[in-house]
Amino acid sequence: MKKLLKHLRTSGLTKEEIKFLFKESDTRFAQLHTEFHLNLEKTRNEWERRIAAEDERRKAEYERRKAEYERRIAVEDERRKAEDERRKAEYERRKAEDERQRAELNAAMRELAEASKKNEKLYADLNNSWGRFLENLCAPAALALFKEEGIDINHIYEVRSRRNNGQEGIEVDVVLCDGGTIVAVEVKSTLNVPKLNHFLRKMEQFKHYYSEFSHYKVYGAVAAVEFQNNIIDLAKEKGIFVIECSGEGVFKMGHAPEVSKRREF
């Protein structure tokens, strides 16, 4: 400031001119000060406006995102609810279908069991009828066949005879007798080893159950339509007679043991 005053004094300006310059300077400074504060206020207002606008924008964005989130949650909830209902309905449908199929299966199994029982009974009746038919055909034919072998029997004692002793017993298909001689005949559609062995076991007990024939000569014979494997050779080894039956009901002696090899029971 001192340098400025010294400069003004040496510049040739009058005192009034210097005062005027200072006055102008003060006025200009006041104007600049005012303008600065006005600009500062304007800038501050602009920043406050921008901040307020940004706040409003962010608030609006937040509300928008919140609404979108809630909308998506609601949509997802509805979707899950609908999916749960669909799955529940599918489960109920499948359960009903399973129950229906189970009921149908149980009904079919009952029908099958009933049909099986009927078929078993029918098969048993048919087998029994066929067995009795063969036995009734075999009995008179066997009388003639054994006479040809020198065994003089003339009487059919019983067809399908069963003797019981308490809970045990034996069943013989055909019993032929006369004059102290008995021939017991096992009649089968198909003869195999187990059936032959079963017949031999029965013959070993024959006199125990048929005590009235305890002093008779008792021979064994098997008659069948079909003979499995080497069953005829096995029957020969056991010393019993073998009668063969053709499909037409014609019987013939398939094997007659020599007198010395005939097994007596």
Side-chain angles (χ1 to χ4, degrees):
M1 178 62 71
K2 291 180 178 181
K3 288 182 179 181
L4 177 60
L5 290 173
K6 185 178 180 181
H7 176 73
L8 289 174
R9 289 172 182 167
T10 59
S11 64
L13 295 175
T14 64
K15 187 177 180 179
E16 288 76 10
E17 288 176 340
I18 292 173
K19 288 182 178 180
F20 176 78
L21 287 174
F22 273 106
K23 186 178 180 180
E24 285 292 323
S25 176
D26 290 341
T27 302
R28 181 59 182 165
F29 177 79
Q31 290 176 349
L32 290 174
H33 181 74
T34 302
E35 289 176 1
F36 171 77
H37 282 284
L38 289 174
N39 289 334
L40 181 63
E41 184 68 19
K42 183 178 180 182
T43 301
R44 189 185 71 177
N45 291 337
E46 179 64 19
W47 275 107
E48 289 178 352
R49 185 190 65 78
R50 289 182 180 182
I51 290 172
E54 182 64 18
D55 288 343
E56 289 297 325
R57 186 191 68 78
R58 290 182 178 181
K59 182 178 179 181
E61 179 66 15
Y62 169 78
E63 294 295 334
R64 185 190 67 79
R65 290 184 179 183
K66 179 182 177 183
E68 178 65 16
Y69 173 78
E70 291 175 350
R71 184 190 67 80
R72 289 182 179 181
I73 291 295
V75 169
E76 181 64 16
D77 286 344
E78 289 297 323
R79 186 193 68 79
R80 289 182 179 179
K81 182 178 178 181
E83 180 66 14
D84 289 343
E85 292 295 331
R86 185 193 67 79
R87 289 182 178 180
K88 181 179 178 182
E90 180 66 14
Y91 169 78
E92 294 295 335
R93 185 191 67 78
R94 290 185 178 181
K95 181 180 178 183
E97 180 66 15
D98 289 343
E99 291 176 352
R100 183 188 65 79
Q101 291 181 355
R102 189 179 296 110
E104 290 181 355
L105 178 61
N106 291 336
M109 292 297 292
R110 286 194 297 271
E111 291 178 2
L112 182 61
E114 292 175 1
S116 178
K117 288 181 181 178
K118 290 180 181 179
N119 289 337
E120 288 176 1
K121 184 177 183 303
L122 180 62
Y123 177 78
D125 292 344
L126 181 61
N127 191 45
N128 290 336
S129 298
W130 172 245
R132 291 191 182 95
F133 176 72
L134 283 179
E135 292 161 8
N136 290 328
L137 286 179
C138 177
L143 287 175
L145 292 174
F146 284 111
K147 283 183 180 181
E148 293 176 1
E149 298 299 327
I151 299 176
D152 189 18
I153 49 177
N154 299 292
H155 179 63
I156 301 172
Y157 179 74
E158 277 186 302
V159 176
R160 192 172 288 271
S161 174
R162 181 172 181 83
R163 292 293 177 92
N164 294 312
N165 181 14
Q167 294 182 349
E168 297 180 352
I170 63 171
E171 184 176 275
V172 182
D173 295 336
V174 177
V175 179
L176 307 175
C177 67
D178 210 353
T181 302
I182 291 288
V183 178
V185 185
E186 183 84 350
V187 183
K188 298 293 181 184
S189 298
T190 302
L191 185 65
N192 54 29
V193 174
K195 291 178 181 178
L196 176 61
N197 291 333
H198 179 66
F199 171 65
L200 293 173
R201 287 194 296 271
K202 286 195 299 183
M203 290 306 300
E204 290 172 355
Q205 304 176 65
F206 183 85
K207 288 185 179 180
H208 173 72
Y209 289 96
Y210 292 83
S211 57
E212 66 269 33
F213 298 129
S214 59
H215 301 295
Y216 280 62
K217 290 182 178 181
V218 179
Y219 298 113
V222 289
V225 178
E226 181 182 356
F227 297 86
Q228 289 187 353
N229 301 326
N230 59 341
I231 194 69
I232 294 179
D233 294 333
L234 182 59
K236 291 178 182 179
E237 294 176 5
K238 300 298 182 181
I240 62 175
F241 294 84
V242 177
I243 300 173
E244 298 178 3
C245 175
S246 67
E248 291 78 20
V250 178
F251 293 84
K252 67 177 183 178
M253 186 65 71
H255 168 70
E258 296 177 8
V259 176
S260 60
K261 296 182 179 180
R262 293 174 184 173
R263 181 176 178 179
E264 292 186 22
F265 294 90

